Amino acid sequence: MRIHLPNSAFLGNIDPFIRSFDSSSPEELKISANAKWISVHPVVLSMAAALGLVVKEAHCEKLEATSKHYLERMGLFRFLKIKSGMRIKEHEPAGRFIPLTRISDSGQLTKFLTEMVPLLHLEPKQAEPIRYVISELVRNVLEHSRSEHGAIVCAQYYKESNIIRIGIADTGVGIKSTINVSHEAPTHLEAIRLALTPGITGTTRREGGTEFNAGAGLFFIKSLACVSRDFFLIYSGNAMFKLLKTKEKEITLNADPLMDRHSCDEELPFWRGTVVGIDIALGATDEFELFLDLVREIYAKTVRERKKARFRRPKFI
Amino acid sequence: MIEIRLSPIVGDFAENKDLAREIRNSRIIPALEAKEDVVLDFEGVESATQSFIHALVSEVIRKYGIEVLDAMAFRNCNETVKKIISIVVDYMQETD
Protein backbone atom coordinates (compact mmCIF):
# COMPACT_ATOMS: atom_id res chain seq x y z
CA MET A 1 0.00 0.00 0.00
CA ARG A 2 1.10 3.53 -0.56
CA ILE A 3 0.06 6.85 0.95
CA HIS A 4 1.27 10.25 -0.15
CA LEU A 5 0.88 13.04 2.40
CA PRO A 6 0.24 16.16 0.35
CA ASN A 7 0.87 19.77 1.30
CA SER A 8 -2.81 20.15 2.14
CA ALA A 9 -5.57 17.61 2.77
CA PHE A 10 -8.53 18.75 4.81
CA LEU A 11 -12.09 17.57 4.45
CA GLY A 12 -12.89 20.18 1.82
CA ASN A 13 -10.02 19.14 -0.45
CA ILE A 14 -9.31 15.59 0.68
CA ASP A 15 -10.55 13.84 -2.48
CA PRO A 16 -7.22 13.84 -4.38
CA PHE A 17 -5.49 12.40 -1.30
CA ILE A 18 -7.98 9.54 -1.10
CA ARG A 19 -7.80 8.90 -4.82
CA SER A 20 -4.01 8.69 -4.59
CA PHE A 21 -4.13 5.99 -1.91
CA ASP A 22 -2.79 2.74 -3.36
CA SER A 23 -4.35 -0.24 -1.61
CA SER A 24 -2.41 -2.92 -3.51
CA SER A 25 0.23 -5.07 -1.72
CA PRO A 26 -1.56 -5.05 1.64
CA GLU A 27 1.44 -6.45 3.51
CA GLU A 28 3.55 -3.32 3.33
CA LEU A 29 2.97 0.40 3.57
CA LYS A 30 5.06 3.07 1.88
CA ILE A 31 4.62 6.66 2.89
CA SER A 32 5.83 9.62 0.92
CA ALA A 33 5.13 13.29 1.44
CA ASN A 34 5.25 16.70 -0.09
CA ALA A 35 8.82 17.95 0.10
CA LYS A 36 7.96 21.47 1.24
CA TRP A 37 4.96 21.37 3.50
CA ILE A 38 2.60 18.84 5.07
CA SER A 39 -0.66 20.11 6.50
CA VAL A 40 -3.31 17.45 6.87
CA HIS A 41 -6.58 16.77 8.64
CA PRO A 42 -6.39 14.36 11.61
CA VAL A 43 -8.37 11.84 9.57
CA VAL A 44 -5.37 11.48 7.24
CA LEU A 45 -3.13 10.64 10.18
CA SER A 46 -5.70 8.21 11.60
CA MET A 47 -5.80 6.42 8.25
CA ALA A 48 -2.01 6.18 8.00
CA ALA A 49 -1.70 4.99 11.60
CA ALA A 50 -4.49 2.42 11.16
CA LEU A 51 -2.69 0.99 8.14
CA GLY A 52 0.55 0.93 10.11
CA LEU A 53 -1.05 -1.53 12.52
CA VAL A 54 -2.08 -4.04 9.85
CA VAL A 55 1.02 -4.19 7.67
CA LYS A 56 4.05 -6.35 8.26
CA GLU A 57 6.37 -3.49 7.47
CA ALA A 58 6.04 0.25 6.97
CA HIS A 59 8.52 2.50 5.21
CA CYS A 60 8.60 6.24 5.15
CA GLU A 61 10.77 8.23 2.79
CA LYS A 62 13.07 10.81 4.36
CA LEU A 63 10.82 13.74 5.01
CA GLU A 64 12.04 17.18 4.02
CA ALA A 65 9.02 19.35 4.79
CA THR A 66 9.55 21.83 7.59
CA SER A 67 6.27 20.74 9.16
CA LYS A 68 7.40 17.09 9.40
CA HIS A 69 7.78 17.33 13.18
CA TYR A 70 4.03 17.56 13.49
CA LEU A 71 3.76 13.92 12.37
CA GLU A 72 6.20 12.89 15.10
CA ARG A 73 4.34 14.90 17.72
CA MET A 74 1.03 13.32 16.74
CA GLY A 75 2.62 9.89 17.23
CA LEU A 76 2.41 8.65 13.65
CA PHE A 77 5.83 6.99 13.58
CA ARG A 78 5.08 5.08 16.77
CA PHE A 79 2.12 3.48 14.96
CA LEU A 80 4.26 2.76 11.91
CA LYS A 81 6.99 1.27 14.11
CA ILE A 82 9.52 3.53 12.40
CA LYS A 83 12.26 5.51 14.05
CA SER A 84 11.86 8.90 12.46
CA GLY A 85 15.21 10.17 13.72
CA MET A 86 13.48 13.44 14.58
CA ARG A 87 14.22 15.03 17.89
CA ILE A 88 11.46 17.23 19.06
CA LYS A 89 10.91 19.09 22.23
CA GLU A 90 7.60 17.65 23.39
CA HIS A 91 5.23 20.56 23.81
CA GLU A 92 2.61 20.49 26.47
CA PRO A 93 -0.29 19.22 24.40
CA ALA A 94 -2.95 21.11 26.35
CA GLY A 95 -5.01 23.39 24.17
CA ARG A 96 -3.79 21.93 20.91
CA PHE A 97 -4.33 18.33 19.98
CA ILE A 98 -5.11 14.77 20.90
CA PRO A 99 -2.30 12.58 19.56
CA LEU A 100 -3.04 9.38 17.70
CA THR A 101 -4.63 6.98 20.15
CA ARG A 102 -5.76 3.42 19.73
CA ILE A 103 -8.97 2.51 21.57
CA SER A 104 -9.77 -1.18 21.76
CA ASP A 105 -12.41 -1.51 24.44
CA SER A 106 -15.15 0.28 26.29
CA GLY A 107 -13.02 0.99 29.36
CA GLN A 108 -10.29 2.62 27.26
CA LEU A 109 -12.93 4.78 25.59
CA THR A 110 -14.33 6.01 28.90
CA LYS A 111 -10.80 6.85 30.10
CA PHE A 112 -10.00 8.59 26.82
CA LEU A 113 -13.17 10.71 27.00
CA THR A 114 -12.28 11.81 30.51
CA GLU A 115 -8.71 12.69 29.62
CA MET A 116 -9.36 14.42 26.29
CA VAL A 117 -11.30 17.40 27.66
CA PRO A 118 -8.37 18.88 29.60
CA LEU A 119 -6.06 18.04 26.67
CA LEU A 120 -8.08 20.30 24.42
CA HIS A 121 -8.66 22.92 27.13
CA LEU A 122 -12.35 23.02 26.40
CA GLU A 123 -15.11 24.57 28.44
CA PRO A 124 -17.67 21.92 29.52
CA LYS A 125 -20.21 23.35 27.08
CA GLN A 126 -17.68 23.20 24.24
CA ALA A 127 -16.67 19.68 25.17
CA GLU A 128 -20.25 18.38 24.95
CA PRO A 129 -20.50 17.82 21.18
CA ILE A 130 -16.86 16.75 20.86
CA ARG A 131 -17.06 13.94 23.36
CA TYR A 132 -20.50 13.04 22.04
CA VAL A 133 -19.07 12.55 18.54
CA ILE A 134 -16.03 10.60 19.69
CA SER A 135 -18.06 8.36 21.99
CA GLU A 136 -20.60 7.42 19.34
CA LEU A 137 -18.05 6.90 16.57
CA VAL A 138 -15.65 4.84 18.64
CA ARG A 139 -18.46 2.72 20.08
CA ASN A 140 -19.58 2.04 16.50
CA VAL A 141 -16.10 0.72 15.75
CA LEU A 142 -15.95 -1.38 18.90
CA GLU A 143 -19.40 -2.89 18.36
CA HIS A 144 -19.61 -3.33 14.61
CA SER A 145 -16.26 -3.18 12.84
CA ARG A 146 -14.80 -6.49 14.05
CA SER A 147 -11.44 -4.73 13.78
CA GLU A 148 -8.58 -6.47 15.52
CA HIS A 149 -7.02 -3.12 16.25
CA GLY A 150 -9.98 -1.10 17.49
CA ALA A 151 -10.38 2.55 16.56
CA ILE A 152 -7.55 4.96 15.82
CA VAL A 153 -8.50 8.50 16.78
CA CYS A 154 -6.82 11.86 16.85
CA ALA A 155 -7.93 15.49 16.90
CA GLN A 156 -6.54 18.95 16.43
CA TYR A 157 -7.80 22.34 17.53
CA TYR A 158 -7.31 25.18 15.03
CA LYS A 159 -7.24 28.47 16.83
CA GLU A 160 -7.70 30.77 13.80
CA SER A 161 -10.88 29.08 12.66
CA ASN A 162 -11.90 27.96 16.19
CA ILE A 163 -12.54 24.47 14.84
CA ILE A 164 -11.84 21.04 16.24
CA ARG A 165 -11.06 18.51 13.52
CA ILE A 166 -11.46 14.86 14.43
CA GLY A 167 -10.42 11.73 12.55
CA ILE A 168 -11.30 8.12 13.33
CA ALA A 169 -10.27 5.11 11.27
CA ASP A 170 -10.59 1.37 11.60
CA THR A 171 -9.48 -1.59 9.52
CA GLY A 172 -12.48 -3.80 10.18
CA VAL A 173 -15.11 -5.27 7.90
CA GLY A 174 -16.54 -1.97 6.65
CA ILE A 175 -20.07 -0.63 6.58
CA LYS A 176 -21.36 -2.78 3.71
CA SER A 177 -20.67 -6.04 5.56
CA THR A 178 -22.26 -4.71 8.74
CA ILE A 179 -25.39 -3.28 7.10
CA ASN A 180 -25.92 -6.31 4.89
CA VAL A 181 -26.47 -8.54 7.91
CA SER A 182 -30.02 -7.16 8.06
CA HIS A 183 -30.50 -5.00 4.95
CA GLU A 184 -29.79 -5.13 1.27
CA ALA A 185 -27.04 -2.78 0.21
CA PRO A 186 -25.59 -3.85 -3.14
CA THR A 187 -22.91 -1.15 -3.11
CA HIS A 188 -20.69 0.48 -0.51
CA LEU A 189 -22.33 3.84 -1.20
CA GLU A 190 -25.79 2.41 -0.62
CA ALA A 191 -24.53 0.87 2.62
CA ILE A 192 -23.21 4.26 3.74
CA ARG A 193 -26.55 5.84 2.82
CA LEU A 194 -28.43 3.30 4.92
CA ALA A 195 -26.01 3.67 7.83
CA LEU A 196 -26.66 7.42 7.84
CA THR A 197 -30.44 6.98 7.75
CA PRO A 198 -32.12 7.22 11.17
CA GLY A 199 -33.52 4.00 12.55
CA ILE A 200 -31.50 1.66 10.34
CA THR A 201 -28.94 -0.61 11.95
CA GLY A 202 -27.16 -3.66 10.66
CA THR A 203 -28.15 -5.54 13.81
CA THR A 204 -31.84 -5.94 12.90
CA ARG A 205 -34.52 -5.13 10.34
CA ARG A 206 -36.84 -4.07 13.13
CA GLU A 207 -37.77 -0.38 13.34
CA GLY A 208 -36.18 1.16 16.41
CA GLY A 209 -33.34 -1.32 16.41
CA THR A 210 -32.44 -3.73 19.17
CA GLU A 211 -32.15 -3.17 22.90
CA PHE A 212 -28.55 -2.08 22.27
CA ASN A 213 -28.58 -0.37 18.86
CA ALA A 214 -31.05 2.15 17.55
CA GLY A 215 -29.39 2.90 14.22
CA ALA A 216 -29.10 6.54 15.17
CA GLY A 217 -25.44 7.20 15.93
CA LEU A 218 -24.18 8.24 12.50
CA PHE A 219 -27.35 10.18 11.73
CA PHE A 220 -26.84 12.20 14.94
CA ILE A 221 -23.24 12.97 14.02
CA LYS A 222 -24.01 13.94 10.45
CA SER A 223 -26.81 16.15 11.83
CA LEU A 224 -24.44 17.80 14.28
CA ALA A 225 -22.09 18.68 11.40
CA CYS A 226 -25.09 19.93 9.46
CA VAL A 227 -26.23 22.20 12.31
CA SER A 228 -22.74 23.57 12.84
CA ARG A 229 -22.43 23.96 9.03
CA ASP A 230 -19.25 21.93 8.89
CA PHE A 231 -17.81 19.07 6.92
CA PHE A 232 -18.44 15.41 7.70
CA LEU A 233 -16.89 12.56 5.74
CA ILE A 234 -17.38 8.84 5.76
CA TYR A 235 -15.33 6.49 3.60
CA SER A 236 -15.69 2.72 3.48
CA GLY A 237 -14.95 0.17 0.78
CA ASN A 238 -14.72 2.07 -2.50
CA ALA A 239 -17.21 4.77 -1.53
CA MET A 240 -17.14 8.11 0.19
CA PHE A 241 -19.94 10.40 1.29
CA LYS A 242 -19.06 13.97 2.21
CA LEU A 243 -21.45 16.44 3.78
CA LEU A 244 -20.56 19.83 2.38
CA LYS A 245 -20.78 23.15 4.15
CA THR A 246 -23.93 25.13 3.71
CA LYS A 247 -24.51 28.85 4.08
CA GLU A 248 -28.28 28.57 4.14
CA LYS A 249 -29.77 30.42 7.08
CA GLU A 250 -32.39 27.83 7.82
CA ILE A 251 -31.07 24.41 8.73
CA THR A 252 -32.92 21.38 7.48
CA LEU A 253 -32.03 17.89 8.63
CA ASN A 254 -32.69 15.19 6.10
CA ALA A 255 -33.25 11.56 6.91
CA ASP A 256 -31.85 10.64 3.50
CA PRO A 257 -28.22 11.83 3.36
CA LEU A 258 -28.44 12.12 -0.42
CA MET A 259 -30.89 14.99 0.15
CA ASP A 260 -28.17 16.92 2.01
CA ARG A 261 -25.71 19.16 0.24
CA HIS A 262 -23.06 16.54 -0.36
CA SER A 263 -20.56 14.97 -2.70
CA CYS A 264 -19.98 11.27 -3.13
CA ASP A 265 -17.73 8.94 -5.05
CA GLU A 266 -17.87 5.20 -5.44
CA GLU A 267 -14.82 4.56 -7.54
CA LEU A 268 -12.20 5.12 -4.90
CA PRO A 269 -9.32 2.89 -3.85
CA PHE A 270 -10.68 0.21 -1.54
CA TRP A 271 -10.51 0.99 2.18
CA ARG A 272 -10.91 -2.18 4.21
CA GLY A 273 -12.82 -0.74 7.17
CA THR A 274 -14.31 2.66 7.82
CA VAL A 275 -12.95 6.17 8.06
CA VAL A 276 -14.80 9.14 9.53
CA GLY A 277 -13.70 12.76 9.62
CA ILE A 278 -15.60 15.65 11.08
CA ASP A 279 -15.04 19.34 11.77
CA ILE A 280 -16.86 21.02 14.62
CA ALA A 281 -16.78 24.79 15.02
CA LEU A 282 -16.58 25.55 18.71
CA GLY A 283 -18.60 28.71 18.16
CA ALA A 284 -21.45 26.48 17.09
CA THR A 285 -21.46 24.37 20.22
CA ASP A 286 -24.13 26.64 21.70
CA GLU A 287 -26.36 25.10 19.08
CA PHE A 288 -26.17 21.63 20.58
CA GLU A 289 -29.65 21.98 22.06
CA LEU A 290 -31.05 23.37 18.81
CA PHE A 291 -29.53 20.33 17.13
CA LEU A 292 -31.35 18.04 19.57
CA ASP A 293 -34.64 19.82 18.87
CA LEU A 294 -34.21 19.32 15.14
CA VAL A 295 -33.23 15.68 15.57
CA ARG A 296 -36.26 15.03 17.75
CA GLU A 297 -38.50 16.44 15.06
CA ILE A 298 -37.05 14.51 12.14
CA TYR A 299 -36.24 11.20 13.82
CA ALA A 300 -39.66 10.07 14.98
CA LYS A 301 -41.21 11.43 11.76
CA THR A 302 -38.84 9.36 9.65
CA VAL A 303 -39.48 6.14 11.55
CA ARG A 304 -43.25 6.78 11.33
CA GLU A 305 -43.12 7.42 7.58
CA ARG A 306 -41.00 4.36 6.90
CA LYS A 307 -43.36 2.23 8.93
CA LYS A 308 -46.34 3.71 7.05
CA ALA A 309 -44.65 3.00 3.71
CA ARG A 310 -44.42 -0.68 4.67
CA PHE A 311 -48.06 -0.81 5.79
CA ARG A 312 -50.08 -3.20 3.65
CA ARG A 313 -53.80 -3.73 3.31
CA PRO A 314 -55.26 -7.12 2.44
CA LYS A 315 -56.08 -7.61 -1.19
CA PHE A 316 -59.69 -8.70 -1.70
CA ILE A 317 -60.13 -10.06 -5.20
CA MET B 1 -40.25 3.15 44.85
CA ILE B 2 -36.58 2.73 44.07
CA GLU B 3 -34.25 5.54 43.17
CA ILE B 4 -31.21 4.99 41.00
CA ARG B 5 -28.53 7.66 41.13
CA LEU B 6 -26.67 7.48 37.86
CA SER B 7 -23.64 9.74 38.29
CA PRO B 8 -21.81 7.47 40.78
CA ILE B 9 -22.08 4.72 38.17
CA VAL B 10 -21.62 6.53 34.85
CA GLY B 11 -19.86 9.78 35.77
CA ASP B 12 -20.76 13.19 34.36
CA PHE B 13 -21.03 11.94 30.77
CA ALA B 14 -23.43 9.04 30.40
CA GLU B 15 -22.15 7.22 27.33
CA ASN B 16 -21.12 3.73 28.39
CA LYS B 17 -23.83 1.46 26.98
CA ASP B 18 -22.53 -1.57 28.84
CA LEU B 19 -23.23 0.24 32.09
CA ALA B 20 -26.65 1.33 30.81
CA ARG B 21 -27.53 -2.29 30.06
CA GLU B 22 -26.32 -3.37 33.48
CA ILE B 23 -28.42 -0.72 35.24
CA ARG B 24 -31.44 -1.71 33.17
CA ASN B 25 -31.10 -5.44 33.76
CA SER B 26 -29.98 -5.43 37.37
CA ARG B 27 -31.94 -2.47 38.76
CA ILE B 28 -34.74 -1.16 36.54
CA ILE B 29 -36.34 -4.38 35.31
CA PRO B 30 -36.25 -6.18 38.69
CA ALA B 31 -37.91 -3.14 40.30
CA LEU B 32 -40.63 -3.02 37.66
CA GLU B 33 -41.16 -6.77 37.98
CA ALA B 34 -41.67 -6.19 41.71
CA LYS B 35 -44.31 -3.54 40.81
CA GLU B 36 -42.19 -0.75 42.19
CA ASP B 37 -41.89 2.68 40.64
CA VAL B 38 -38.44 3.68 39.41
CA VAL B 39 -36.83 7.10 39.61
CA LEU B 40 -33.68 7.65 37.55
CA ASP B 41 -31.74 10.50 39.11
CA PHE B 42 -29.43 12.32 36.68
CA GLU B 43 -27.97 14.76 39.19
CA GLY B 44 -24.33 15.34 38.28
CA VAL B 45 -24.80 13.97 34.76
CA GLU B 46 -23.91 16.83 32.40
CA SER B 47 -24.68 15.02 29.19
CA ALA B 48 -25.66 11.66 27.75
CA THR B 49 -25.56 10.04 24.36
CA GLN B 50 -28.64 8.81 22.58
CA SER B 51 -27.03 5.36 22.54
CA PHE B 52 -26.75 5.34 26.33
CA ILE B 53 -30.37 6.40 26.87
CA HIS B 54 -31.50 3.89 24.25
CA ALA B 55 -29.64 1.08 26.01
CA LEU B 56 -31.08 2.23 29.33
CA VAL B 57 -34.78 2.48 28.49
CA SER B 58 -35.71 1.20 25.02
CA GLU B 59 -36.00 -2.43 26.03
CA VAL B 60 -38.01 -1.47 29.09
CA ILE B 61 -40.51 0.35 26.87
CA ARG B 62 -40.59 -2.53 24.39
CA LYS B 63 -41.07 -5.12 27.13
CA TYR B 64 -43.74 -3.39 29.20
CA GLY B 65 -45.28 -1.01 26.66
CA ILE B 66 -45.21 2.76 26.76
CA GLU B 67 -47.42 2.69 29.86
CA VAL B 68 -44.28 1.77 31.77
CA LEU B 69 -43.50 5.49 31.78
CA ASP B 70 -46.29 5.89 34.34
CA ALA B 71 -44.09 3.91 36.70
CA MET B 72 -40.83 5.67 35.76
CA ALA B 73 -39.58 9.19 36.33
CA PHE B 74 -36.41 11.06 35.37
CA ARG B 75 -35.14 13.43 38.05
CA ASN B 76 -32.62 16.29 37.97
CA CYS B 77 -32.13 16.19 34.21
CA ASN B 78 -30.61 19.27 32.57
CA GLU B 79 -32.01 20.48 29.23
CA THR B 80 -29.62 18.37 27.14
CA VAL B 81 -30.40 15.17 28.98
CA LYS B 82 -34.15 15.92 28.90
CA LYS B 83 -34.01 16.36 25.14
CA ILE B 84 -32.10 13.15 24.55
CA ILE B 85 -34.51 11.17 26.73
CA SER B 86 -37.43 12.74 24.83
CA ILE B 87 -35.93 11.75 21.47
CA VAL B 88 -35.59 8.13 22.54
CA VAL B 89 -39.06 7.96 24.10
CA ASP B 90 -40.58 9.58 21.00
CA TYR B 91 -39.07 7.16 18.53
CA MET B 92 -39.77 4.16 20.72
CA GLN B 93 -43.44 5.05 20.48
CA GLU B 94 -43.22 5.00 16.70
CA THR B 95 -41.48 1.63 16.48
CA ASP B 96 -42.70 -1.94 16.28
Side-chain angles (χ1 to χ4, degrees):
Chain A
M1 292 184 284
R2 192 180 285 271
I3 273 188
H4 179 76
L5 302 174
N7 64 338
S8 172
F10 290 86
L11 297 186
N13 65 349
I14 202 168
D15 304 38
F17 162 74
I18 292 179
R19 279 196 290 269
S20 74
F21 164 52
D22 178 354
S23 58
S24 62
S25 308
E27 297 200 336
E28 66 168 357
L29 174 65
K30 288 181 180 168
I31 294 184
S32 58
N34 185 282
K36 291 187 176 166
W37 191 254
I38 308 162
S39 183
V40 293
H41 191 281
V43 77
V44 172
L45 301 181
S46 294
M47 288 169 68
L51 293 178
L53 292 175
V54 296
V55 294
K56 282 189 178 158
E57 206 170 357
H59 309 272
C60 183
E61 69 172 26
K62 189 170 176 354
L63 301 178
E64 302 292 342
T66 47
S67 49
K68 64 188 177 186
H69 297 92
Y70 177 67
L71 307 180
E72 174 73 28
R73 186 160 291 130
M74 290 297 277
L76 179 61
F77 299 106
R78 189 166 35 89
F79 276 80
L80 301 176
K81 299 173 208 81
I82 291 176
K83 284 186 182 159
S84 71
M86 290 180 214
R87 287 174 179 266
I88 56 162
K89 189 180 166 190
E90 289 285 347
H91 287 205
E92 167 60 43
R96 295 188 186 136
F97 62 89
I98 299 171
L100 284 159
T101 307
R102 176 180 167 186
I103 303 173
S104 305
D105 62 45
S106 178
Q108 284 177 8
L109 173 59
T110 301
K111 186 169 175 278
F112 177 82
L113 290 167
T114 309
E115 290 173 354
M116 60 158 255
V117 176
L119 271 183
L120 291 169
H121 267 202
L122 298 171
E123 297 295 323
K125 202 72 187 161
Q126 291 176 319
E128 208 165 39
I130 312 295
R131 59 185 183 172
Y132 192 103
V133 164
I134 293 181
S135 167
E136 292 284 33
L137 289 175
V138 174
R139 282 201 186 279
N140 266 354
V141 174
L142 300 180
E143 289 169 20
H144 305 297
S145 76
R146 284 183 264 151
S147 164
E148 271 180 53
H149 303 284
I152 311 304
V153 55
C154 68
Q156 172 77 49
Y157 171 62
Y158 291 78
K159 196 176 175 186
E160 298 74 26
S161 47
N162 199 27
I163 283 177
I164 297 264
R165 306 191 201 278
I166 302 167
I168 295 180
D170 73 67
T171 48
V173 296
I175 294 178
K176 186 167 171 250
S177 291
T178 310
I179 281 289
N180 272 332
V181 172
S182 305
H183 301 273
E184 282 163 32
T187 65
H188 291 279
L189 188 61
E190 177 61 9
I192 291 174
R193 188 179 80 81
L194 289 175
L196 289 168
T197 304
I200 291 185
T201 164
T203 54
T204 182
R205 287 190 74 86
R206 188 166 66 165
E207 286 295 346
T210 65
E211 50 97 18
F212 211 57
N213 289 103
L218 284 173
F219 170 72
F220 265 63
I221 289 160
K222 186 207 72 171
S223 300
L224 186 56
C226 204
V227 169
S228 70
R229 296 179 171 82
D230 280 313
F231 286 111
F232 165 78
L233 169 140
I234 186 159
Y235 169 34
S236 184
N238 65 359
M240 176 191 75
F241 169 89
K242 181 159 65 174
L243 180 78
L244 300 174
K245 286 188 174 197
T246 173
K247 286 184 180 166
E248 282 175 30
K249 277 191 177 173
E250 198 169 325
I251 299 159
T252 311
L253 298 186
N254 295 301
D256 182 349
L258 301 186
M259 299 286 286
D260 293 316
R261 186 164 181 269
H262 74 283
S263 67
C264 55
D265 193 333
E266 50 186 334
E267 290 180 353
L268 294 171
F270 196 88
W271 180 270
R272 198 169 295 281
T274 304
V275 173
V276 177
I278 185 167
D279 294 348
I280 299 176
L282 291 189
T285 53
D286 294 341
E287 294 175 16
F288 193 61
E289 285 175 13
L290 163 70
F291 146 74
L292 292 172
D293 287 336
L294 290 170
V295 165
R296 185 179 179 185
E297 202 176 294
I298 188 79
Y299 198 107
K301 184 172 163 247
T302 305
V303 174
R304 195 182 314 137
E305 282 174 359
R306 204 165 44 234
K307 200 172 162 187
K308 203 172 161 189
R310 288 207 318 265
F311 188 84
R312 296 286 181 274
R313 293 188 181 283
K315 273 190 270 182
F316 300 106
I317 54 172
Chain B
M1 188 213 26
I2 74 145
E3 189 176 307
I4 303 168
R5 287 188 59 223
L6 292 164
S7 71
I9 309 168
V10 303
D12 66 349
F13 179 37
E15 62 82 35
N16 188 328
K17 294 161 72 177
D18 299 317
L19 293 177
R21 176 160 55 187
E22 199 178 306
I23 296 165
R24 182 190 75 216
N25 290 340
S26 67
R27 308 282 300 276
I28 301 175
I29 290 181
L32 293 170
E33 288 290 325
K35 307 287 178 213
E36 285 198 79
D37 286 358
V38 175
V39 173
L40 296 168
D41 190 340
F42 283 79
E43 187 177 11
V45 176
E46 288 167 14
S47 189
T49 62
Q50 164 273 329
S51 295
F52 176 89
I53 300 296
H54 181 90
L56 189 70
V57 302
S58 71
E59 187 62 15
V60 176
I61 295 172
R62 200 166 257 152
K63 187 175 165 84
Y64 299 102
I66 197 65
E67 298 75 18
V68 75
L69 293 181
D70 296 339
M72 287 178 74
F74 303 90
R75 182 186 286 162
N76 291 320
C77 300
N78 64 24
E79 277 308 305
T80 300
V81 174
K82 274 183 193 171
K83 286 180 180 187
I84 292 171
I85 293 171
S86 301
I87 290 169
V88 174
V89 168
D90 278 7
Y91 71 66
M92 284 311 297
Q93 294 186 69
E94 300 292 349
T95 58
D96 299 329

